[in-house]
């Protein structure tokens, strides 16, 4: 199964180095459990003045890189909070269920358009705090 993290915004150099280190570790561990690739794709932030227009433009850009028939998972502070074991079990269920790809979506500062929310299979949270999107 392919795992993608699609995020609005660009990482800085220090964040990129840290992400690369964790991607390498995840790829090594992932091969042993049937994850064939793990990728991060960064989407440029919209510069539109209107909030709804920004969300729409960013969501369109994200939608353009989502593989067909992928399982979509939104990362949002209002989502379900899972421990590490439960998160691993959920990934295993998708993998064992024949999913070709799981895509984790991280919206911009204004969030995601409703069309992407409607297509998602799950909404997960890494806690109540809002972190920089990178």
């Amino acid at each position: 199964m392919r795992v993608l993290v699609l995020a609005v915004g660009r990482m800085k150099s220090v964040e990129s180095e840290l992400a690369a280190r964790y991607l390498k570790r995840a790829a090594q561990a992932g091969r042993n459990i049937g994850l064939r690739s793990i990728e991060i794709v960064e989407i440029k932030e919209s510069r539109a003045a209107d909030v709804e227009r920004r969300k729409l433009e960013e969501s369109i850009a994200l939608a353009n890189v989502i593989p067909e028939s992928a399982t979509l998972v939104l990362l949002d502070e209002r989502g379900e909070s899972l421990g590490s074991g439960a998160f691993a079990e959920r990934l295993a269920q998708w993998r064992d269920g024949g999913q070709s790809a799981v895509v984790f979506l991280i919206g911009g500062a204004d969030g995601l358009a409703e069309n992407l929310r409607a297509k998602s299979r799950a909404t997960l949270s890494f806690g109540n705090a809002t972190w920089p999107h990178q």
Side-chain angles (χ1 to χ4, degrees):
M1 179 175 73
R2 186 174 171 205
V3 176
L4 292 102
V5 176
L6 305 182
V8 174
R10 305 279 185 199
M11 289 186 273
K12 308 288 188 263
S13 64
V14 174
E15 295 160 337
S16 291
E17 291 170 18
L18 184 60
R21 185 169 39 172
Y22 276 95
L23 276 174
K24 182 179 177 184
R25 291 171 67 181
Q28 291 168 342
R31 280 192 295 272
N32 297 330
I33 59 170
L35 303 180
R36 68 172 205 261
S37 71
I38 302 171
E39 306 164 49
I40 296 175
V41 177
E42 297 172 313
I43 303 296
K44 188 175 179 180
E45 294 172 89
S46 169
R47 296 290 176 213
D50 177 67
V51 169
E52 289 305 313
R53 181 71 184 176
R54 274 194 307 271
K55 285 182 3 181
L56 179 63
E57 288 178 1
E58 291 168 353
S59 293
I60 289 170
L62 287 166
N64 285 333
V65 292
I66 295 172
E68 197 166 318
S69 75
T71 294
L72 299 184
V73 180
L74 302 184
L75 299 180
D76 184 284
E77 72 269 12
R78 295 166 296 211
E80 179 182 10
S81 182
L82 299 177
S84 297
F87 180 73
E89 285 177 23
R90 186 79 56 95
L91 271 178
Q93 288 170 356
W94 290 323
R95 179 201 61 210
D96 297 345
Q99 296 300 308
S100 61
V102 173
V103 175
F104 294 94
L105 295 174
I106 302 172
D110 302 306
L112 294 164
E114 240 357 92
N115 66 325
L116 283 180
R117 288 187 172 281
K119 292 178 183 179
S120 71
R121 187 149 172 200
T123 302
L124 300 180
S125 170
F126 290 124
N128 292 332
T130 301
W131 297 89
H133 293 82
Q134 296 81 359

